[in-house]
Amino acid sequence: MSDTTAAAPDAPSLAGILGQLFTAPREAFASLLPRPRWWIALAGVMALNLGFTAVWMSKVDPREFMTEQIEASPRAANLAPEQKAQVIEQQLSLFPVFAWMGPVFVAILVFFVAALYLFLFRFVRGGDVTFGGSMGVVAWSFLAVGLISVPLLLGTIALKDEWNADPRTALLAGPAAFLDKADTPAFLYSLLESIDLFTLWTLWLMAVGYAVAHRKPTGWAVATVFVPWAVYVLGKAALAGVF
């Protein structure tokens, strides 16, 4: 009898797990969740945002950008030309601050989303997901989708040469891409603008992750993940319709 035993297979690397999130997300989360290492994914998400900001800030004309934002605002119709100019001057001084704070805002968003779903899955659904596990599901989902969406966003803006347009609407991957915003009711446009391929992909990955964390089929987590997002989308669309 041999006195040696077969070596256990090496655990997949983080890069390998990240690749699996595109092809086999359940297997990826099963490998990740015992040691979520969410801070690595969060750092990656922030680095993607920082890289986008660095490129965008080198191309954008702040004054033209702010002018377009003011003109697109519903409040612009009630402002005299000199008032618009005053608002633009006030916001120009804050423009670089808010732009470079993007990574911080993204980190806050990840923490908020993770905390929300930790509450829902742990206290509403009666699961046993931990804060680290919830952060892992959210941060790695954001990173996987961001690795595709951020380069596509930069490429779209560059091809259109629209550096002064709002980056949030530059890459429309949903029904709103086929509509003219000026001719579409605000409620409907806001609703359809939120139904975005990358957003739905992120939510789906999160549903898979939370299902794996609770050793359940993916369908068990879908409603818990998607319903809060749907409430947010409807609320945002209602506000757009009113104001």
Side-chain angles (χ1 to χ4, degrees), residues 2 10 20 28 38 43 45 55 66 85 87 97 106 121 133 153-154 158 164 199 206 223 226 233:
S2 171
D10 292 335
Q20 278 189 318
W38 55 264
V45 173
V55 175
M66 292 308 308
V87 172
V97 176
V106 169
F121 279 101
L153 174 58
L154 277 174
N164 297 321
T199 301
M206 287 166 51
F226 276 80
V233 168

Side-chain angles (χ1 to χ4, degrees), residues 50-82:
L50 187 62
F52 171 83
T53 302
V55 175
W56 185 65
M57 287 292 287
S58 70
K59 302 287 187 180
V60 69
D61 180 334
R63 183 175 296 278
E64 185 173 342
F65 175 80
M66 292 308 308
T67 300
E68 290 189 13
Q69 295 303 300
I70 293 297
E71 291 295 340
S73 171
R75 296 184 305 164
N78 300 320
L79 295 177
E82 59 273 12

